Amino acid sequence: MKKPVPFLVGMLLTISQLPASAQLTFPADGGNKKASVTEYIGLTDVTIRYDRPAVKGREGKIWGQLVHFGYKDLGFGTSKQAPWRAGANENTTISFSTDVKVEGKPLAAGTYGLMMAVEENEVTVIFSKTHTSWGSYFYDPKDDALRVMVKPVKSQSMVDRLKYEFMDETDSSAVVALLWETWKIPFTVTVDVVQTQLASLRNELRSEKGFRAEAYQQAAAYCADRNVNLDEALRWADYAVNGQFVGQKTFGTLSTKARLLAMTGKQADADALMKEALPMANEQEYYQYGRQLIRQKKAKEALDVFQTLAKKSPNVFLSNMGLMRAYSAVGDYKAAADWGKKALALAPDANNKANVERLLQQLAQGKDVN
């Protein structure tokens, strides 16, 4: 009969079989904090991961000393001409979920090692295809995906712990800036927002989201709003109406297709489709369509639409607002003010009331409210 293994001995045997490399997790050494920062430019995710060294009383000794100027043999690794790692410890990395431009130069989607060759009045920002190394000890210029030259900005304000920030954001761009001690090193990232959005729409329409008429209508409307990609947008709009298992005839799908037909020179077809669409419109859709006509400088057509809305839904807020805007668009400010006062009496909340009062003041000054 087998002798039982004593409990303590069994436990020691189990421990001895654990991997020798098993280690507990502790913060990075040297007092350098790990950090990441993310910003979206349109649909493009830009993420920087880095370690944050502190000045630690070394004011005036960072740039050109702790951070070496130019390229240097660091005494370790394979690189004899290494730039600065733009942070501490392992690679600082920057990731782009779509293609971008950095300082006007194209850079493909992906993750890059971010390094910098710093000089007193100029910095070379390097995007390396190798991003898994430790620091810049193994830097090889053959791995460069892109280099751009930027100017450092110096100020009196102190940043003790290195950080990256996104600044001066627009819909299609942002300035990425490294800030440490009294230096800021900025570079501009730009995205073709429309093209990345179109690529996303095409991708999503191939997914389960493409089994809804509203998805094709939304994609088509995006293009119409920006006057881009009209041929493909018209195909999307038609599929929203007629697509097998998907197509639906609603005011939204029909009016979007009609709008694109008009934009591609098929006005008669557009008019016929709108005659079919309008009886399906609710008050809000009538109102938005009338405002669309005003924006297209079709004031008389807008007045016809709002008069029809007023017959269908008399003496309601949106009908009165629509007639105020339509009469203003055709230059009849007195009639516009009369309908505006009727709208004011029916304003559903304080914000709408304040808006109508503002528009009435414009009419009193002889200004179009649209």
Side-chain angles (χ1 to χ4, degrees), residues 248-368:
Q248 293 182 14
K249 288 191 174 185
T250 66
F251 176 80
T253 59
L254 291 171
S255 63
T256 299
K257 182 178 177 181
R259 185 179 172 196
L260 283 157
L261 285 168
M263 293 176 77
T264 53
K266 304 175 180 71
Q267 190 63 55
D269 292 338
D271 293 341
L273 203 57
M274 280 310 303
K275 285 181 181 177
E276 183 181 354
L278 272 172
M280 305 178 190
N282 59 34
E283 289 176 10
Q284 186 68 41
E285 289 168 335
Y286 252 104
Y287 183 76
Q288 292 302 330
Y289 177 59
R291 291 207 62 184
Q292 177 185 314
L293 290 172
I294 290 173
R295 287 192 294 271
Q296 294 171 349
K297 308 301 181 185
K298 298 178 179 179
K300 186 179 180 305
E301 293 92 330
L303 181 56
D304 291 341
V305 165
F306 283 125
Q307 285 172 336
T308 302
L309 174 59
K311 289 175 184 175
K312 287 183 64 172
S313 303
N315 200 32
V316 299
F317 178 69
L318 282 180
S319 297
N320 295 345
M321 281 290 291
L323 286 169
M324 177 182 69
R325 289 190 176 279
Y327 277 110
S328 176
V330 297
D332 189 343
Y333 294 164
K334 181 180 182 306
D338 290 341
W339 285 107
K341 291 169 186 174
K342 293 177 182 179
L344 182 62
L346 298 170
D349 54 47
N351 287 337
N352 276 290
K353 182 179 179 181
N355 184 50
V356 178
E357 288 172 341
R358 179 180 61 83
L359 297 178
L360 285 170
Q361 287 177 1
Q362 290 180 222
L363 290 169
Q365 296 166 6
K367 297 178 181 177
D368 181 13

Side-chain angles (χ1 to χ4, degrees), residues 35-248:
S36 65
V37 59
T38 296
E39 178 120 342
Y40 279 84
I41 307 174
L43 293 177
T44 302
D45 177 331
V46 182
T47 297
I48 305 168
R49 301 184 186 279
Y50 64 106
D51 284 61
R52 303 182 63 195
V55 174
K56 293 183 178 177
R58 296 173 289 188
E59 292 87 346
K61 299 179 181 178
I62 298 295
W63 305 104
Q65 297 184 47
L66 182 65
V67 175
H68 62 274
F69 280 160
Y71 301 84
K72 181 181 178 181
D73 185 345
L74 301 176
F76 177 76
T78 57
S79 179
K80 302 305 179 186
Q81 292 288 308
W84 177 46
R85 60 182 123 184
N89 298 333
E90 59 262 56
N91 265 183
T92 297
T93 66
I94 186 166
S95 302
F96 307 99
S97 63
T98 72
D99 296 351
V100 299
K101 287 186 177 180
V102 181
E103 292 294 308
K105 296 182 178 180
L107 184 61
T111 299
Y112 299 93
L114 180 61
M115 295 173 238
M116 298 181 181
V118 178
E119 297 289 356
E120 182 69 36
N121 297 307
E122 192 169 58
V123 176
T124 304
V125 182
I126 301 167
F127 299 84
S128 173
K129 288 176 280 189
T130 299
H131 65 274
T132 57
S133 301
W134 186 274
S136 55
Y137 296 108
F138 303 91
Y139 168 73
D140 189 330
K142 294 197 299 292
D143 296 329
D144 290 357
L146 179 66
R147 288 186 176 197
V148 297
M149 309 293 286
V150 300
K151 299 289 185 184
V153 179
K154 299 160 191 177
S155 70
Q156 297 302 312
S157 59
M158 169 67 65
V159 175
D160 180 65
R161 197 170 283 279
L162 183 149
K163 63 180 177 178
Y164 284 87
E165 287 188 2
F166 290 88
M167 304 175 169
D168 301 330
E169 297 94 335
T170 71
D171 290 343
S172 60
S173 69
V175 173
V176 179
L178 179 152
L179 299 102
W180 195 24
E181 200 223 28
T182 58
W183 279 39
K184 175 172 75 174
I185 302 174
F187 56 90
T188 300
V189 177
T190 307
V191 174
D192 189 332
V193 173
V194 170
Q195 291 305 315
T196 56
Q197 179 65 71
L198 289 174
S200 175
L201 292 174
R202 294 180 187 116
N203 185 56
E204 289 192 306
L205 289 175
R206 290 191 291 265
S207 73
E208 74 282 358
K209 296 178 182 179
F211 287 88
R212 298 182 300 110
E214 294 90 338
Y216 286 91
Q217 186 257 323
Q218 289 170 358
Y222 175 86
C223 298
D225 289 343
R226 290 155 184 82
N227 195 24
V228 297
N229 196 46
L230 297 185
D231 290 338
E232 186 175 23
L234 185 54
R235 293 196 295 273
W236 287 338
D238 183 67
Y239 201 77
V241 175
N242 299 309
Q244 188 174 18
F245 307 120
V246 173
Q248 293 182 14

